[in-house]
Amino acid sequence: MKVPELLPAIPGKNTMSLRIGSFFAAKNTDAKRLACPPVLSNGTTLVPLRDVVEYLGGTIDWDGDTQRVVISYNRNRISMTIGSKLAFVNGITSVLTAAPQLIDGVTMIPLRSVAQALKCTVDWIGDTQNIYIYY
């Protein structure tokens, strides 16, 4: 699937590309439709949890009663709760830049905080509102 509004991934690197407001993500030479587009909220990029984490190859455990999510990726674990900026990264308390939140029934997470906790790198291209995740 060709997704013209996204910048292409960088050859030779494991890269995911997203854009604010776009329902598509590109990973290397593949593309995927997202449940909800990434958004900016008070200067923080929020992305759809399940789409992004599973597209990277991670797993998610969700507890609907407590609204707690646990992400596992590349031998790293991050646990967080909807509405709370506190998270546990590999068992150590950490503060996220923004609290995870539900938008139209989709769990949205602060990209940079979560990506860095999972040992990924994020680049933001302000002119195009493109986001690159290197994993």
Side-chain angles (χ1 to χ4, degrees):
M1 169 188 328
K2 186 174 181 191
V3 185
E5 72 267 14
L6 290 174
L7 293 175
I10 295 174
K13 292 192 176 201
N14 286 325
T15 308
M16 182 186 296
S17 175
L18 303 118
R19 177 179 267 170
I20 299 298
S22 173
F23 275 94
F24 292 94
K27 181 173 86 168
N28 299 327
T29 60
D30 186 33
K32 171 187 174 95
R33 183 170 171 80
L34 303 171
C36 185
V39 297
L40 283 176
S41 177
N42 297 318
T44 297
T45 301
L46 301 176
V47 297
L49 164 73
R50 187 164 300 280
D51 288 335
V52 171
V53 171
E54 289 180 350
Y55 202 34
L56 285 172
T59 60
I60 300 163
D61 289 318
W62 169 254
D63 182 335
D65 293 335
T66 62
Q67 292 196 314
R68 177 171 291 258
V69 64
V70 177
I71 300 168
S72 298
Y73 175 73
N74 214 16
R75 289 184 247 154
N76 293 292
R77 254 172 92 89
I78 181 169
S79 173
M80 55 193 152
T81 303
I82 299 295
S84 174
K85 284 186 167 185
L86 289 180
F88 297 93
V89 178
N90 297 322
I92 299 170
T93 303
S94 180
V95 178
L96 304 170
T97 55
Q101 55 187 277
L102 292 173
I103 297 177
D104 296 329
V106 176
T107 302
M108 302 290 281
I109 57 171
L111 175 61
R112 189 173 300 274
S113 294
V114 172
Q116 288 174 340
L118 298 173
K119 307 297 186 230
C120 298
T121 305
V122 176
D123 279 340
W124 164 255
I125 312 300
D127 293 346
T128 61
Q129 293 193 317
N130 259 67
I131 306 138
Y132 288 107
I133 306 169
Y134 304 103
Y135 59 100

